[in-house]
Amino acid sequence: MALKTLPIIMFTLLCLICNWKSSDGNDDSVFLAWKCNDSKGNYTENSPYHINLLNAFSNLTSLSISQTFANLSTSTDENDNTNKVYALYDCRKDLTLTTCHHCVVDATDNILHRCPSLEAIVMYEECVVRYANRPIVSIMEQIPYFSDCKFSIPDGGELSRIIKPIFTNLIDEAISNNSRLKYSAAKNEDYFEYQKVYCLLQCTPDITQQECKDCLTEAMNKTIDCANSSGMISYYIVPSCRMRYDVIRHFFNVSSSLPPMAMSSPPPFSPISNAAVQLRMFAKNTAR
């Protein structure tokens, strides 16, 4: 690379660092995308499905105080499978549980305002929340997807050269039986003399090792496309996995001392009261 190009890149990276919002150490959740599956049909306010969904979200937000992943199914009538709700969330394991909890709270509120569908997903930088009227746990899914490639800056092909080896090794690490955090890995690598690139990948812990590898391999192919275009920031998120690289320092914690997050069994289902449902509906209508 010509020496005259390097100062331009470094100046641009400095601008990105000063202006781009990082989620690490910040309780403000960063919304990325949402998808309502209208083909599955819609629910109406105060219907049995809507009440089951509110119950599911109430329990999931409680669970997010103590664990980074949880799933459950809810139904106020055991004999009514038509209105049964299946829901889950998955938080990034490099962030604090406080950040996870705030993201799940934001995500559940957001999707309730955006989607009257029987199935939907909302994606944040910090977490993913899903629900459906069908089982979604332990099923590897790669649609819908969210991808973004930001700030393409000529770099002489440097990102393209280093990104594939980094993520190839991280995939092997994430699915290894010796991995500290199940299906999750992160690493930083030198990118020019005074700059690093920060890389992270993760699968939901409910799928198999092979499914995790397949999901991340497809994500890597999309991520390499961004690196080939010299994109400085790349997102790729699907229901079962995510992949991310960024040139902003301290985007996430890659410390080897990061403790594993305990995965506890979900507590007994706690239905919310009709009064709580009405209060939430009042807040929703007032916000419109």
Side-chain angles (χ1 to χ4, degrees), residues 140 142 171 175 183 203 207-218:
M140 196 271 276
Q142 294 176 286
I171 291 173
I175 64 174
Y183 297 166
C203 294
I207 60 177
T208 67
Q209 285 181 313
Q210 185 60 51
E211 287 172 335
C212 179
K213 182 176 182 179
D214 292 344
C215 190
L216 291 174
T217 299
E218 177 64 21

Side-chain angles (χ1 to χ4, degrees), residues 43-59:
Y43 65 82
T44 57
E45 292 184 1
N46 292 322
S47 65
Y49 190 88
H50 185 214
I51 293 173
N52 287 336
L53 182 60
L54 293 178
N55 281 328
F57 282 173
S58 177
N59 280 269

Side-chain angles (χ1 to χ4, degrees), residues 16-120:
L16 298 182
I17 293 170
C18 292
N19 291 286
W20 185 249
K21 184 178 183 181
S22 170
S23 66
D24 191 30
N26 190 331
D27 289 338
D28 293 332
S29 304
V30 181
F31 171 77
L32 297 176
W34 55 278
K35 174 66 176 178
C36 304
N37 192 341
D38 295 327
S39 67
K40 299 293 184 179
N42 295 333
Y43 65 82
T44 57
E45 292 184 1
N46 292 322
S47 65
Y49 190 88
H50 185 214
I51 293 173
N52 287 336
L53 182 60
L54 293 178
N55 281 328
F57 282 173
S58 177
N59 280 269
L60 287 181
T61 54
S62 296
L63 287 166
S64 65
I65 296 173
S66 60
Q67 57 195 75
T68 58
F69 172 86
N71 69 87
L72 50 80
S73 60
T74 62
S75 180
T76 54
D77 183 348
E78 294 182 358
N79 298 317
D80 183 12
N81 289 326
T82 302
N83 291 302
K84 190 172 185 177
V85 171
Y86 300 83
L88 64 80
Y89 71 83
D90 186 42
C91 290
R92 273 178 33 200
K93 293 184 177 67
D94 60 305
L95 302 177
T96 66
L97 284 169
T98 299
T99 300
C100 175
H101 176 64
H102 287 168
C103 183
V104 173
V105 170
D106 287 349
T108 53
D109 285 343
N110 194 344
I111 204 67
L112 283 171
H113 282 83
R114 291 177 181 270
C115 281
S117 303
L118 295 177
E119 180 172 338

Side-chain angles (χ1 to χ4, degrees), residues 46 273-283:
N46 292 322
S273 65
N274 289 332
V277 172
Q278 295 300 324
L279 180 61
R280 192 155 191 174
M281 293 308 306
F282 174 78

Side-chain angles (χ1 to χ4, degrees), residues 168-226:
T168 298
N169 291 333
L170 285 179
I171 291 173
D172 290 339
E173 178 183 337
I175 64 174
S176 168
N177 291 327
N178 297 322
S179 176
R180 293 180 302 108
L181 298 176
K182 185 178 181 181
Y183 297 166
S184 180
K187 183 181 182 181
N188 60 53
E189 189 81 18
D190 289 337
Y191 176 60
F192 298 120
E193 185 176 0
Y194 300 107
Q195 183 62 48
K196 292 182 181 294
V197 59
Y198 297 83
C199 303
L200 175 144
L201 51 76
Q202 179 173 316
C203 294
T204 58
D206 58 319
I207 60 177
T208 67
Q209 285 181 313
Q210 185 60 51
E211 287 172 335
C212 179
K213 182 176 182 179
D214 292 344
C215 190
L216 291 174
T217 299
E218 177 64 21
M220 182 173 68
N221 293 335
K222 302 296 184 182
T223 301
I224 290 171
D225 289 342
C226 183

